């Protein structure tokens, strides 16, 4: 696959601005980023690059007094996935759970261990939003053998499949995930096999409209996606929720919570709890 390398300049540059820009640029198709002295360097498949969306993201950048510029060029033709696999990531501890890759094994023992072979898909546990949802699942579920009374989980924007795998290792009887990126869908299936939960996991290619083809309802719906997609897709999520089901959302900032809660209220849901980490937020609706 051919990639563009996009060099972002942020003035003034700081880690918070980098994090927000990386999250927002995901809407324009970007897959991965590297920090630079000027700001960030982002990589996006040429056929997935949506420059109109990127320009809109920059115009709506939420940090007052901060300016963002960018320069696009063709990226060096190399195997980005191979480079990511060679580097990997250090083990990530989330309460009693550890997330690791095959190259960096954790020290000590943990209640739940998840191995992720990321292949550029979002969801290794390094991001605050992923960690918050995993922590929430740890508080809601207990590691028990799955049964007919265990929850059925829907994972919207599954990425690497980490949230589904976490839920399944905590006793969910089944998890169905979907993603618009074919690479992510395949990667999620691969990670389910690595973690020996593939017999209870299904990964589908598509957006929220794919739910029209999914039978049954779900006890827990997970969505770690940006605010605008959450607002647009929440009605679809609600149609697939059992009575008393929980909708766990992240991928947005603390200032976005009132907007999401207001939308949820129009659908008959109320805010059960919320948490934040470095201005990233997660909420539970029921």
């Amino acid at each position: 696959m051919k990639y563009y390398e996009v060099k972002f300049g942020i003035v003034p540059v700081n880690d918070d601005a980098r994090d927000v820009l990386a999250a927002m640029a995901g809407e324009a198709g970007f897959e991965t980023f590297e920090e630079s002295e000027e700001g960030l360097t982002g990589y996006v498949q040429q056929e997935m690059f949506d420059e109109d969306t990127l320009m809109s993201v920059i115009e709506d950048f939420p940090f007052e007094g901060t300016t963002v510029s960018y320069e696009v060029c063709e990226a060096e033709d190399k195997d980005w996935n191979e480079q990511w696999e060679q580097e990997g990531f250090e083990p990530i501890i989330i309460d009693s759970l550890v997330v690791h890759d095959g190259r960096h094994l954790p020290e000590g023992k943990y209640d739940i261990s998840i191995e992720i072979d990321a292949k550029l898909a979002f969801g290794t546990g390094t991001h605050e939003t992923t960690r918050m949802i995993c922590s929430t699942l740890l508080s809601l579920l207990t590691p028990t053998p799955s049964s007919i009374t265990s929850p059925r989980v829907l994972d919207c924007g599954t990425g690497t499949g980490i949230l589904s795998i976490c839920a399944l290792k905590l006793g969910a009887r089944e998890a169905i995930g979907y993603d618009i990126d074919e690479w992510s869908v395949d990667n999620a299936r691969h990670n389910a096999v690595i973690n020996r939960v593939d017999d209870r996991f299904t990964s589908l290619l598509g957006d929220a409209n794919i739910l029209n083809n999914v039978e049954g309802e779900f006890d827990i719906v997970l969505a770690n996606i940006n605010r605008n997609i959450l607002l647009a897709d929440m009605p679809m999520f609600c149609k697939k929720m059992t009575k008393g089901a929980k909708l766990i959302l992240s991928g947005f900032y603390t200032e976005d919570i009132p907007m999401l809660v207001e939308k949820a209220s129009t659908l008959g849901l109320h805010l059960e709890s919320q948490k934040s980490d470095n201005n990233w937020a997660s909420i539970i609706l029921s």
Side-chain angles (χ1 to χ4, degrees):
M1 290 175 287
K2 299 291 185 179
Y3 279 78
Y4 286 127
E5 179 180 274
V6 180
K7 296 181 179 180
F8 292 97
I10 305 172
V11 181
V13 63
N14 56 65
D15 288 342
D16 288 341
R18 286 190 180 101
D19 286 345
V20 170
L21 178 59
M24 296 178 72
E27 299 177 33
F30 284 80
E31 294 178 358
T32 189
F33 298 88
E34 297 174 347
E35 290 188 5
S36 67
E37 290 186 7
E38 296 77 18
L40 283 176
T41 301
Y43 298 92
V44 56
Q45 292 180 40
Q46 292 185 11
E47 63 182 28
M48 298 294 292
F49 183 39
D50 185 342
E51 190 164 11
D52 289 339
T53 296
L54 180 61
M55 293 173 65
S56 177
V57 161
I58 290 174
E59 289 176 2
D60 296 336
F61 199 68
F63 284 27
E64 186 175 354
T66 298
T67 60
V68 178
S69 60
Y70 69 94
E71 179 182 324
V72 182
C73 62
E74 287 199 8
E76 179 186 350
D77 189 10
K78 60 182 179 181
D79 190 336
W80 295 100
N81 186 58
E82 181 180 354
Q83 178 175 327
W84 170 258
E85 288 179 332
Q86 289 175 352
E87 295 176 358
F89 61 95
E90 294 295 327
I92 300 150
I93 312 302
I94 308 169
D95 301 328
S96 58
L97 176 152
V98 62
V99 183
H100 63 92
D101 65 14
R103 292 178 176 270
H104 304 85
L105 300 180
E107 297 180 359
K109 294 184 178 179
Y110 297 87
D111 292 342
I112 301 292
S113 175
I114 297 175
E115 181 175 339
I116 294 294
D117 184 8
K119 295 187 182 298
L120 290 181
F122 179 83
T124 60
T126 58
H127 199 275
E128 291 89 342
T129 59
T130 308
R131 295 200 302 266
M132 284 189 287
I133 293 185
C134 285
S135 179
T136 296
L137 289 172
L138 282 165
S139 66
L140 290 177
L141 304 173
T142 55
T144 57
S146 61
S147 70
I148 197 169
T149 59
S150 299
R152 188 174 187 235
V153 173
L154 175 64
D155 183 7
C156 311
T158 190
T160 62
I162 185 173
L163 300 181
S164 287
I165 293 167
C166 180
L168 290 167
K169 288 205 167 190
L170 286 167
R173 72 178 185 275
E174 180 188 13
I176 294 179
Y178 69 84
D179 202 292
I180 60 172
D181 178 16
E182 185 174 1
W183 197 332
S184 294
V185 170
D186 292 341
N187 185 216
R189 292 172 182 152
H190 172 69
N191 286 322
V193 171
I194 291 176
N195 288 275
R196 300 181 180 179
V197 295
D198 53 300
D199 58 329
R200 294 179 283 139
F201 177 67
T202 303
S203 186
L204 304 173
L205 177 64
D207 58 18
N209 291 307
I210 197 73
L211 297 178
N212 292 319
N213 302 322
V214 174
E215 295 184 1
E217 297 178 325
F218 297 86
D219 308 293
I220 296 176
V221 177
L222 311 171
N224 187 9
I225 317 175
N226 73 70
R227 181 200 66 192
N228 291 339
I229 294 178
L230 292 175
L231 290 169
D233 292 352
M234 208 182 297
M236 295 286 288
F237 301 161
C238 289
K239 289 179 181 178
K240 302 303 294 184
M241 293 169 61
T242 60
K243 184 178 180 180
K246 296 184 185 296
L247 176 58
I248 304 172
L249 305 179
S250 195
F252 49 90
Y253 313 112
T254 53
E255 54 265 33
D256 296 324
I257 292 176
M259 188 183 305
L260 288 160
V261 171
E262 181 180 358
K263 177 67 174 182
S265 67
T266 67
L267 300 168
L269 298 175
H270 71 276
L271 179 64
E272 189 173 302
S273 65
Q274 67 184 64
K275 62 176 69 174
S276 63
D277 187 351
N278 289 330
N279 203 43
W280 292 99
S282 178
I283 60 176
I284 302 177
L285 301 162
S286 59

